[in-house]
Structures are given as structure tokens and as C-alpha cells.
Amino acid sequence: MMGKLLSIAIGSAFINNVVLSQFLGICPFLGVSKKVKTAAGMGSAVVFVITLASAVTSVIYSFILTPLNITYLQTIVFILVIAALVQFVEMFLKKKIKSLYNALGVYLPLITTNCAVLGVALKNVQNSYGFVESVVNGFAVSVGFLVAIVIMAGIREKTEYNNVPKAFKGTPIVLVTAGLMAIAFFGFSGLK
């Protein structure tokens, strides 16, 4: 059991990285990765939301949708659960960590529409993961997102001070960097 969970965790975080391998969650990845502090805050919020969403959607799917034979509603139900969780995170940050709330700005509500969150919930169902496997997968996927966005933010902070050719300034250099990161993460595929 532990071997399977470890395999799920490593595979989800590094080998099949949600951003660099599956290309889900690109909007916050590119939009919030300008500063490491903001990227870490967004990554932490995504870790919380995806992990909790994986747990809640697993329970709802197993104990409500499947017994009632209404699994065809899974996408709608999962979207509602994710939206409620994001609202909870947004209210918490607004009340307790105002600076992070302001730094994340419009990208915090975008977690609701972040396809990575819904993708993980649907992938858990598709792979027939139980509760523990779903939570481990959700946590690992979100940690992979956190690692990728923080690395990207660190690189973007450094490239601000570099002499980048005019044609590559701004978005082009960010996309080239993301492509090189994807190639680098592809090297983890030998771990499985």
C-alpha cells in the first residue's frame, strides 16, 4: 500500500506534473509567477484547495453519486464543491492574511476555474482511487504545481535583470522558460 501511494505521489508531483506535463493550470502559472512570494502564496492556496477538493469529491462520489446511480453529474457536483472551497479560502485570506489576499488579486477567484483542480478530481475518479489514494494524489499534484510555480517565479525574478533580446522580452521569454522547465521535468519520467 505504501509503495503504491509513493508511486502515485512521485508520479503526480514530478513525472506527470499538472502544469509542465498535462498543461493544466497554465493561467495562474503564467499570471502569478512574477514574484516568488506571491507564487508561493498561490501555490499554497492551490495545495489546500486541491487536497481538500480531492478528499471531499472522493467522499461525495463514493457515498452519494455512485449509490444513487447519478455519476453522470460528477462534473457539475465537483465544480460546485471546488467553488465553495475557493470561497472559503478567499474569505479566510481576506480576514487573516490581507497582504496575500491583495497580492493574489484576481487570481484567487480564478482557482475556481483552474482546470487543474477539476482535472485532479476527475482523474481520481477515472483511476478508481479510493479516499486515501485520492488525497495523496491531490496533495502530490498540488505540490507539483507549487514547485513549478515557485521555480518559474524565481527564474522570472532573475531574468528581470538579464539582458534579454528585445524580441524575447515579456511573454516570449516566459513561454520559452516554461518549455525548458517542461523538458527538464521530462527527465523525471525515468523514476517510474
Side-chain angles (χ1 to χ4, degrees), residues 42-155:
M42 175 59 119
S44 300
V46 168
V47 167
F48 178 77
V49 170
I50 289 182
T51 304
L52 197 55
S54 295
V56 173
T57 56
S58 176
V59 169
I60 289 173
Y61 186 82
S62 297
F63 295 108
I64 297 174
L65 299 180
T66 302
L68 295 176
N69 199 25
I70 54 172
T71 55
Y72 57 89
L73 293 175
Q74 71 186 14
T75 304
I76 294 169
V77 171
F78 291 176
I79 289 171
L80 291 173
V81 167
I82 291 163
L85 290 172
V86 170
Q87 288 301 309
F88 170 73
V89 169
E90 190 172 2
M91 288 186 306
F92 174 80
L93 289 178
K94 189 174 185 178
K95 187 169 182 132
K96 299 289 184 184
I97 311 173
K98 188 81 167 165
S99 61
L100 181 57
Y101 174 79
N102 291 333
L104 291 176
V106 70
Y107 293 102
L108 186 58
L110 283 177
I111 295 176
T112 303
T113 59
N114 185 343
C115 54
V117 183
L118 180 60
V120 171
L122 294 174
K123 195 84 164 166
N124 289 340
V125 170
Q126 183 183 22
N127 290 337
S128 302
Y129 287 157
F131 178 77
V132 173
E133 296 159 325
S134 294
V135 172
V136 167
N137 184 52
F139 181 73
V141 165
S142 56
V143 166
F145 178 86
L146 173 67
V147 167
I149 197 170
V150 168
I151 291 172
M152 174 60 93
I155 293 170

Side-chain angles (χ1 to χ4, degrees), residues 31-47:
V32 186
S33 62
K34 293 178 182 167
K35 300 287 179 202
V36 172
K37 187 174 181 182
T38 308
M42 175 59 119
S44 300
V46 168
V47 167

